[in-house]
Amino acid sequence: MHDREGNATKLRWFGYKLHLIVDSTHELPVVYTVTPASKADVATAHALLDKLQAKRPEVLTRAEVLVADKGYDDSKLIMRLWDEHRIRPVIDIRASWRDGEATRLFEGQTNVVYDNKGRVFCVCPETGTMRTMAEGGFEEKRGTLKKRCPARAYGLSCAGVARCPVARGWRIRMDVDRRLFPPIARGSARWVREYRKRTAVERVFSRLDTMYGFETHTIRGLKKMRVRVGFALVVMLGMALGRLREGWSGKLRSFVQVA
């Protein structure tokens, strides 16, 4: 970074950071760690996966999707989730193209392009009109995302459909770019639906801040913070377990006394 006068400056982080994987259905913690605030999110994500793999591998076996914000946008993490655990990554993406390009042409194609958000477009060979291609789903055995002609999928008028090379659809291999083309297509209805579940993590953090007092804490020292966070999460899980045993499965997160 640079200050207003153009002088180089350094970024510094103070405090601690709680890294937490949450069950988005029940909004309960699955695995966590507390680090200095300067610790990178991606490196910690790999450490949390290592921890789960060593101590609770059944969680990774049952998990279907991992949702995260762009702080976890990392090719190695995305590949690891799918290749090792068959967990579909739904991770927001950073704008990483630095050459000003709006779109790039797929290798070997004449009228199919993509942008830096992983969206795929076909270009009409007659008029040059660019349209977003329709989703055709993920083909696991092929390792491909299927795209469909938008004119045929949505009943649109396209002057060049008769001689368009992708009028019958087209497949993208994930290996073209694993960040841009994960098993759940970026921008698809399912992607949007799954990404909304990230708010479950925000609600857990909100409860920790308000109900468990971390918003106004005066804790000093990483060891003390780890102990305090550990106690809070144990209480959160203990309350959920108690309600479950009493048959109150719909109130696992409630702080209100069960009558």
Side-chain angles (χ1 to χ4, degrees):
M1 288 188 65
H2 295 80
D3 60 21
R4 292 181 180 178
E5 297 178 355
N7 300 314
T9 60
K10 291 184 177 180
L11 285 175
R12 290 184 173 87
W13 288 265
F14 300 95
Y16 314 106
K17 186 186 293 185
L18 169 60
H19 305 263
L20 189 62
I21 293 180
V22 168
D23 177 344
S24 64
T25 301
H26 301 100
E27 296 182 14
L28 293 171
V30 174
V31 64
Y32 81 99
T33 188
V34 180
T35 68
S38 58
K39 186 73 173 180
D41 290 339
V42 169
T44 309
H46 282 283
L48 290 177
L49 288 177
D50 291 338
K51 192 173 182 179
L52 280 175
Q53 195 163 2
K55 296 185 177 182
R56 298 187 63 192
E58 71 281 0
V59 173
L60 293 175
T61 301
R62 293 198 305 264
E64 296 180 359
V65 178
L66 185 138
V67 183
D69 62 26
K70 64 181 65 177
Y72 297 88
D73 175 24
D74 173 67
S75 294
K76 290 181 180 179
L77 178 61
I78 289 169
M79 293 170 66
R80 179 180 180 182
L81 286 167
W82 177 249
D83 294 349
E84 296 182 18
H85 306 293
R86 282 302 185 259
I87 296 175
R88 289 168 167 79
V90 175
I91 301 174
D92 197 9
I93 194 168
R94 291 175 280 104
S96 56
W97 293 1
R98 302 184 184 278
D99 51 13
E101 290 178 291
T103 60
R104 292 177 180 175
L105 184 69
F106 280 101
E107 184 177 356
Q109 296 297 315
T110 59
N111 71 323
V112 186
V113 299
Y114 62 98
D115 66 9
N116 63 0
K117 295 292 185 181
R119 294 172 294 194
V120 179
F121 311 89
C122 60
V123 181
C124 176
E126 290 288 341
T127 65
T129 302
M130 188 168 70
R131 295 187 177 94
T132 304
M133 295 195 75
E135 299 299 336
F138 174 59
E139 300 171 313
E140 183 173 344
K141 291 183 178 180
R142 293 175 181 259
T144 58
L145 293 167
K146 190 174 181 180
K147 301 295 180 178
R148 300 166 58 203
C149 168
R152 293 186 173 181
Y154 305 131
L156 304 175
S157 175
C158 178
V161 69
R163 67 184 190 91
C164 177
V166 294
R168 293 186 177 182
W170 186 59
R171 292 180 173 90
I172 306 169
R173 294 197 60 82
M174 290 194 303
D175 293 342
V176 170
D177 190 318
R178 296 293 294 273
R179 286 177 61 244
L180 291 175
F181 307 113
I184 300 178
R186 294 183 179 276
S188 65
R190 185 180 178 189
W191 173 277
V192 174
R193 186 169 64 251
E194 295 289 354
Y195 193 74
R196 285 178 183 150
K197 296 178 182 178
R198 194 176 64 86
T199 56
V201 181
E202 297 172 358
R203 287 190 288 271
V204 171
F205 275 107
S206 177
R207 293 185 193 106
L208 288 169
D209 282 340
T210 57
M211 301 296 186
Y212 290 89
F214 285 94
E215 195 168 43
T216 56
H217 77 82
T218 57
I219 304 167
R220 288 194 170 190
L222 183 58
K223 290 183 178 179
K224 291 181 180 178
M225 178 59 76
R226 284 173 173 164
V227 170
R228 175 70 181 273
V229 169
F231 277 138
L233 296 179
V234 166
V235 170
M236 186 180 291
L237 290 171
M239 291 176 65
L241 179 60
R243 281 165 167 71
L244 187 63
R245 287 178 174 174
E246 293 297 322
W248 292 88
S249 59
K251 296 185 178 293
L252 296 183
R253 303 179 298 274
S254 177
F255 278 79
V256 178
Q257 182 177 357
V258 178

